[in-house]
């Protein structure tokens, strides 16, 4: 638990009628963090954001913002600002009035308002657009205005509801950078909702992965990526996602023996020397073996310890520019190996693949939890 | 989920509307209900009022004049709305065909709707005029009649003449609703049926009509509710005559109130008419609700 | 699908009949209003006027003339009544519509509102008459304004609600987040967005009020408050020997709504269709 969390959510429950939407949510966030809520649609991440904003009431639990209990406070009294997915700009007002709206409501003197709006416009590089109406702006410009409206009041906490999902792919990448830059220059605290795991990985200082109204894992992008707590997180985060192959593990004196079934009754046999053997059942036991595509390559050289080579049949080959992805039938799934684009390969070919077992994860077959 | 403030606001925002409607409709309705159980009369000096229970109702329900007025109202309503329905659908089908001048005609048929009810009544009264009216002259010149007739002075034709005037004013609404519905009939469905060999009439019966039946039903029930309270056009064209042949329920009650000054008895008639209207309104809501829920028939 | 020649002829024939049926009575009203009085009493009629006579319109617009005084004061009363009622109805309807649309006020209540105006006015007339009479409010424009406002209110609420429903709710949430009160949001954010809907609602309301006859008949009795429909009924019931005068009053009373209806046809038709079909 951090000393002075900017946002602290405790035992939050939210139900619509009898249907639970959010179950026992607990989050503690430090000032200056960039917290990203990510998960598939319907996981409750947007509802959670609306609970934080106060646009939606909660069924039980508490929400504390900057040390003050805001569980039942009106949205306007929470000292927060929000950037909406649709930008939600006031169509009848100029950019300048849009940005200054919150100050206008609070009856901030005209001069102070003007200079604050000008500062924010400069930060967002939209000084030249101040007199325009939202309809005369491009998607990216509207996005900036929406952020400007949030930034100008300098609140304790910023909420972003899928702010980039209405932009085209190219603009999305540049706005992503822009948002990260603003976070770094202002040092403000951001809570950011997205369904796009790449956005989550690139922006977050910490990620909250959600599914079915339950938090699956909270951690840094690195932790989430390399040490997913369950098969769902492993599968959801990273593109292409982690390969989850069914295999048999047997504890041995010097390591863990892996047997992964391959097509035509053959088996790939590897030995993991890095994982502490006592974390797994003595075996032989069936588990889900998780390896990311970049841990299955033709690049690394076998060193007899972490990296071991086995011959695999390439089922499908998908060139993707810098890399070539090859589908390999392993452990009852279509595992993806990441090959160098320089190596000419063809479907049906047998190629030696180097497995980097230092990056391996094990999950329980039935519950999916990390072993 | 609404916050406490929003819940308060819900009622604050509604308050003015509820106040106005309570004042102008609910209070008078309750008052009419009370009057209907009394022998109140409209008098210059206050007269004692007696509670007489169901006496007014017993009289009203056995009053042949009121029954006749209800029957006339029913006749007016059914024939008017029926004709508006048939004419409305026919006009909509026509205006859905491609032809030159279609848009002009679509715009033109809003005019009867825009003509004030009273002007409509006056205009048709002039047209029906027995001595110099246009209808007489037109039919005479076409050789369809040999003598001028008193169209609304003759009890046998008066009601139908009033109905014609009412239909002329109100068919556009039905036509517009039918047209809007027609424009949503999927072309592919009709083409498929045509390829299967269905005749145009068969296509209309089994595809088009069921498709537009929902909205059509709703607007016709709405028109029924309106037609049932008919007063204005009767007042101007015939004043309920000749020989009471056009005296509808609203006009009957109007006379009971303001000619015979029997407010207690008039109120009991009014409550009965309101009861019938309430049933029609409930029918309207269930039809509209089914329509909103996406049902087509 | 292609039409045969016969079908085409049939379509144009029907279109012609419809045009004659629709425009005929109105055209004849207009012709009557400018015909020589003697043309209108010929048997059979002289359809094309022997000479054009615009004097009736001149008389109607002349305050010094008897019928002009009647007409002009009725016109004034109608404009004040319909305009005032429309303004009040909208003022009251917009917050109520917002409550139904955004504060989850029960639809049953809205249906109850609508049901009250679907009732025959005869149900309400006597208690209203007695109350206005004892308050000394009979024969006053303000009385009609209040009654008409109530009559227009449910439909105005209904139309405005349907229009507010489709406005982006996030824009209002943004205003709420920025600390704006509901009144502020309504005034500065919702109203500007709903302006076209407000205009359409105002227009339809005005036309309905302009058309109302029954309440005006009962509640007014002289020049100071009588509206056009009542004045026209008077003209028609009076011992006027020149039918052209009645016709000219009819034409004058029809012009404002007819012009509005033609000019804003799309607006009005979509409002009418939506208003009568969707519950």
């Amino acid at each position: 638990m951090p000393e002075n969390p900017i946002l602290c959510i405790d035992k939050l429950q939210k139900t619509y009628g009898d249907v639970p939407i959010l179950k026992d949510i607990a989050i503690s966030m430090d000032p200056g963090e960039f917290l990203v809520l990510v998960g598939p649609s319907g996981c409750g991440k947007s509802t959670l954001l609306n609970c934080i904003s106060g646009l939606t009431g909660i069924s039980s639990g508490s929400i504390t913002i900057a040390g003050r209990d805001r569980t039942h406070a009106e949205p306007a009294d929470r000292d927060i600002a929000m950037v909406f997915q649709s930008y939600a700009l006031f169509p009848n007002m100029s950019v300048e009035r849009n940005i200054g709206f919150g100050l206008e409501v609070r009856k901030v003197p005209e001069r102070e308002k003007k200079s604050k709006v000008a500062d924010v416009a400069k930060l967002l590089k939209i000084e030249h657009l101040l007199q325009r109406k939202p309809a005369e702006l491009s998607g990216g410009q509207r996005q900036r205005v929406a952020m400007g409206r949030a930034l100008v009041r300098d609140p304790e906490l910023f909420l972003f509801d899928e702010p980039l999902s209405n932009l085209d792919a190219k603009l999305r990448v540049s706005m992503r950078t822009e948002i990260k830059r603003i976070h770094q220059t202002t040092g403000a605290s951001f809570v950011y909702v997205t369904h796009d795991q790449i956005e989550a990985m690139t922006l977050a200082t910490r990620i909250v992965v959600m599914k079915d109204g339950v938090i699956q894992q909270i951690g840094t992008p690195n932790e989430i990526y390399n040490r997913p707590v369950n098969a769902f997180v492993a599968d959801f985060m990273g593109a292409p996602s982690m390969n989850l192959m069914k295999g048999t593990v047997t504890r041995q004196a010097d390591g863990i023996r892996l047997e992964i079934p391959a097509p035509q009754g053959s088996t790939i046999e590897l030995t993991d020397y890095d994982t502490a053997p006592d974390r797994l059942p003595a075996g032989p036991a069936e588990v889900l073996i998780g390896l990311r595509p970049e841990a299955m390559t033709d690049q690394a050289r076998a060193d007899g310890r972490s990296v071991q080579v086995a011959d695999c049949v390439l089922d499908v080959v998908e060139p993707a520019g810098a890399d070539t992805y090859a589908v390999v039938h392993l452990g009852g799934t279509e595992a993806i190996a990441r090959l160098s684009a320089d190596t000419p390969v063809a479907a049906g070919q047998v190629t030696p693949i180097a497995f980097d077992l230092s990056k391996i994860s094990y999950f329980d077959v039935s519950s999916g939890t990390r072993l | 989920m609404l916050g406490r403030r929003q819940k308060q606001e819900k009622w604050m925002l509604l308050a003015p509307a509820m106040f106005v409607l309570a004042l102008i409709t609910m209070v008078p309705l309750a008052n009419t209900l009370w009057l209907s159980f009394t022998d109140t009369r409209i008098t210059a000096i206050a007269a004692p009022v007696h509670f007489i229970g169901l006496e007014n109702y017993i009289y009203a329900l056995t009053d042949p004049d009121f029954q006749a007025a209800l029957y006339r109202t029913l006749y007016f309503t059914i024939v008017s709305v029926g004709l508006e329905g048939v004419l409305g659908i026919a006009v909509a089908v026509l205006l859905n065909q491609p032809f030159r001048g279609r848009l002009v005609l679509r715009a033109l048929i809003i005019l009867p709707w825009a003509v004030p009810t009273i002007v409509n009544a006056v205009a048709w009264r002039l047209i029906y005029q027995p001595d110099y009216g246009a209808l007489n002259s037109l039919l005479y010149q076409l050789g369809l009649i040999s003598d001028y007739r008193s169209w609304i002075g003759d009890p046998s034709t008066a009601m139908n003449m009033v109905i014609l005037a009412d239909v002329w004013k109100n068919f556009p609404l039905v036509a517009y609703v039918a047209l809007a519905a027609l424009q949503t009939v999927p072309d592919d469905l009709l083409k498929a049926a045509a390829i299967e060999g269905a005749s145009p009439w068969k296509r209309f019966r089994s595809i088009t009509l069921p498709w537009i039946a929902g909205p059509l039903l709703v607007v016709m029930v709405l028109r029924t509710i309106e037609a049932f309270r008919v007063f204005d056009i009767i007042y101007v064209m015939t004043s309920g005559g000749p020989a009471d042949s056009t005296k509808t329920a609203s006009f009957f009650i109007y006379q009971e109130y303001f000619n015979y000054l029997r407010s207690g008895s008039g109120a009991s008639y009014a409550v009965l008419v309101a009861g019938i209207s309430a049933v029609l309104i409930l029918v309207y809501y269930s039809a509209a609700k089914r329509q909103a829920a996406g049902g087509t028939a | 699908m292609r039409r045969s020649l016969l079908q085409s002829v049939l379509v144009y024939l029907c279109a012609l009949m419809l045009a004659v049926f629709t425009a005929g009575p109105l055209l004849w009203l207009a012709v009557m209003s400018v015909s020589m009085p003697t043309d209108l009493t010929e048997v059979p009629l002289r359809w094309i006027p022997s000479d054009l006579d615009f004097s009736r319109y001149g008389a109607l617009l002349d305050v010094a003339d008897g019928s002009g005084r009647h007409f002009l004061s009725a016109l004034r009363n109608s404009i004040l009544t319909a305009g005032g009622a429309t303004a009040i109805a909208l003022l009251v309807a917009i917050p109520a519509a917002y409550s139904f649309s955004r504060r989850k006020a029960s639809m049953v209540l809205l249906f109850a509102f609508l049901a009250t105006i679907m009732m025959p006015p005869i149900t309400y007339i006597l208690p209203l008459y007695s109350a206005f009479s004892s308050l000394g409010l009979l024969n006053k424009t303000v009385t009609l304004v209040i009654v008409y406002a109530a009559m227009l209110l449910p439909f105005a609420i209904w139309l405005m609600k349907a229009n507010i429903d489709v406005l982006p709710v996030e824009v209002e949430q943004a205003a709420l987040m920025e600390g704006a009160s509901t009144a502020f949001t309504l005034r500065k954010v919702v109203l500007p967005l709903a302006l076209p809907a407000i205009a359409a609602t105002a227009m339809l309301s005005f036309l309905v009020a302009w058309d109302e006859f029954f309440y005006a008949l009962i509640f007014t009795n002289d020049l100071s408050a009588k509206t056009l429909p009542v004045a026209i009924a008077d003209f028609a019931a009076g011992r006027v020997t020149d039918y052209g005068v009645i016709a000219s009053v009819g034409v004058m009373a029809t012009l404002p709504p007819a012009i509005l209806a033609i000019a804003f046809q799309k607006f009005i038709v979509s409002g009418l269709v939506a208003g009568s079909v969707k519950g």
Side-chain angles (χ1 to χ4, degrees), chain B residues 196-211:
Chain B
E196 296 299 319
S199 68
W201 173 243
K202 172 85 183 150
R203 292 200 294 268
F204 180 76
R205 277 283 313 277
S206 51
I207 297 173
T208 310
L209 206 55
W211 192 275

Side-chain angles (χ1 to χ4, degrees), chain C residues 187-208:
Chain C
R187 230 177 43 237
K188 296 282 177 73
V189 178
V190 179
L191 283 194
L193 289 181
L195 217 51
I198 293 172
T201 308
M203 208 150 55
L204 281 170
S205 300
F206 188 89
L207 290 181
V208 171

Side-chain angles (χ1 to χ4, degrees), chain A residues 333-351:
Chain A
T333 184
E334 296 192 332
I336 292 173
R338 187 164 162 181
L339 309 181
S340 163
D342 302 333
T343 324
V345 285
Q349 189 180 323
V350 177
T351 305

Side-chain angles (χ1 to χ4, degrees), chain A residues 134-199:
Chain A
E136 302 161 344
L137 304 178
S138 68
Q141 288 168 336
R142 285 180 210 182
Q143 179 64 69
R144 284 168 198 264
V145 176
M147 284 199 285
R149 187 173 61 192
L151 286 167
V152 75
R153 280 195 290 117
D154 193 22
E156 293 282 0
L157 192 60
F158 290 89
L159 309 179
F160 292 81
D161 187 8
E162 308 223 16
L164 303 183
S165 59
N166 283 352
L167 300 177
D168 63 57
K170 212 166 168 185
L171 202 53
R172 204 176 307 159
V173 174
S174 69
M175 281 310 293
R176 204 165 72 196
T177 316
E178 187 71 22
I179 290 177
K180 187 140 195 169
R181 184 178 68 85
I182 289 165
H183 178 248
Q184 280 159 2
T185 29
T186 58
S189 312
F190 285 17
V191 179
Y192 186 107
V193 164
T194 182
H195 62 270
D196 178 348
Q197 48 87 22
I198 298 179
E199 240 171 77

Side-chain angles (χ1 to χ4, degrees), chain B residues 124-175:
Chain B
W124 283 92
R125 204 175 105 159
L126 291 176
I127 290 170
Y128 293 150
Q129 214 274 338
D131 305 318
Y132 313 108
L135 183 65
N136 272 323
S137 181
L138 182 73
L139 294 178
Y140 181 79
Q141 280 163 321
L142 291 174
L144 294 171
I145 52 172
S146 51
D147 293 304
Y148 274 26
R149 286 191 194 166
S150 180
W151 297 102
I152 48 176
D154 179 346
S156 66
T157 52
M159 184 57 110
N160 290 335
M161 290 293 128
V162 174
I163 288 175
L164 175 63
D166 190 66
V167 169
W168 181 81
K169 172 157 168 60
N170 288 311
F171 84 90
L173 179 66
V174 182

Side-chain angles (χ1 to χ4, degrees), chain A residues 76 82 84 86 88 90-93 101-102 105-106 149 153, chain C residues 170-171 173-180 184 188-189 192-193:
Chain A
M82 184 153 167
F84 291 83
S86 62
F90 308 120
N92 53 313
M93 301 180 192
F101 186 85
V105 170
R106 286 172 176 72
R149 187 173 61 192
R153 280 195 290 117
Chain C
E170 287 193 339
V171 173
Q173 289 179 337
L176 180 66
M177 300 280 310
E178 294 299 310
F184 191 92
K188 296 282 177 73
V189 178
L193 289 181

Side-chain angles (χ1 to χ4, degrees), chain A residues 44-353:
Chain A
K45 56 191 189 297
S46 284
T47 308
L48 178 54
L49 194 76
N50 281 337
C51 289
I52 300 171
S53 72
L55 289 174
T56 306
I58 66 174
S59 305
S60 66
S62 70
I63 296 172
T64 312
I65 297 170
R68 283 178 288 267
D69 179 11
R70 303 294 198 196
T71 312
H72 300 293
E74 290 293 329
D77 303 331
R78 296 188 177 208
D79 207 357
I80 53 178
M82 184 153 167
V83 176
F84 291 83
Q85 180 172 10
S86 62
Y87 319 134
L89 300 180
F90 308 120
N92 53 313
M93 301 180 192
S94 67
V95 168
E96 183 171 18
R97 267 194 80 197
N98 259 287
I99 296 178
F101 186 85
L103 304 176
E104 182 184 331
V105 170
R106 286 172 176 72
K107 300 201 169 63
V108 170
E110 194 63 28
R111 268 186 50 199
E112 189 186 340
K113 187 172 81 187
K114 260 207 139 64
S115 85
K116 278 191 171 171
V117 171
D119 289 347
V120 168
K122 199 168 160 217
L123 175 71
L124 292 164
K125 303 176 194 135
I126 48 173
E127 303 106 305
H128 58 296
L129 302 175
L130 284 178
Q131 299 317 315
R132 298 231 189 128
K133 289 277 173 66
E136 302 161 344
L137 304 178
S138 68
Q141 288 168 336
R142 285 180 210 182
Q143 179 64 69
R144 284 168 198 264
V145 176
M147 284 199 285
R149 187 173 61 192
L151 286 167
V152 75
R153 280 195 290 117
D154 193 22
E156 293 282 0
L157 192 60
F158 290 89
L159 309 179
F160 292 81
D161 187 8
E162 308 223 16
L164 303 183
S165 59
N166 283 352
L167 300 177
D168 63 57
K170 212 166 168 185
L171 202 53
R172 204 176 307 159
V173 174
S174 69
M175 281 310 293
R176 204 165 72 196
T177 316
E178 187 71 22
I179 290 177
K180 187 140 195 169
R181 184 178 68 85
I182 289 165
H183 178 248
Q184 280 159 2
T185 29
T186 58
S189 312
F190 285 17
V191 179
Y192 186 107
V193 164
T194 182
H195 62 270
D196 178 348
Q197 48 87 22
I198 298 179
E199 240 171 77
M201 296 296 284
T202 47
L203 288 173
T205 57
R206 268 200 309 156
I207 296 176
V208 178
V209 185
M210 295 179 66
K211 182 197 169 198
D212 297 338
V214 176
I215 293 181
Q216 305 290 313
Q217 186 173 9
I218 304 182
T220 63
N222 187 18
E223 284 164 1
I224 299 274
Y225 191 77
N226 290 316
R227 296 182 51 79
V229 294
N230 58 30
F232 169 78
V233 176
D235 182 57
F236 186 74
M237 301 300 289
S241 53
M242 185 183 273
N243 301 311
L244 295 171
M245 302 164 282
K246 262 188 195 148
T248 312
V249 291
T250 314
R251 211 190 281 170
Q252 291 184 336
D254 54 347
I256 299 163
R257 185 178 162 73
L258 311 177
E259 289 168 53
I260 307 172
Q264 276 129 34
S266 63
T267 304
I268 289 177
E269 293 177 14
L270 303 165
T271 308
D272 173 8
Y273 301 107
D274 295 297
T275 309
D278 55 342
R279 275 186 31 214
L280 295 181
E286 190 170 59
V287 297
L288 280 178
I289 296 163
L291 272 176
R292 294 210 174 265
E294 62 267 27
M296 291 167 60
T297 67
D298 56 355
Q299 293 297 313
R301 206 162 276 233
D303 58 4
R305 201 175 154 75
S306 290
V307 182
Q308 297 163 22
V309 175
D311 283 342
C312 299
V313 183
L314 306 185
D315 197 39
V316 180
V317 173
E318 297 170 343
D323 303 305
T324 296
Y325 291 108
V327 175
V328 182
H329 277 285
L330 281 178
T333 184
E334 296 192 332
I336 292 173
R338 187 164 162 181
L339 309 181
S340 163
D342 302 333
T343 324
V345 285
Q349 189 180 323
V350 177
T351 305
I353 303 260

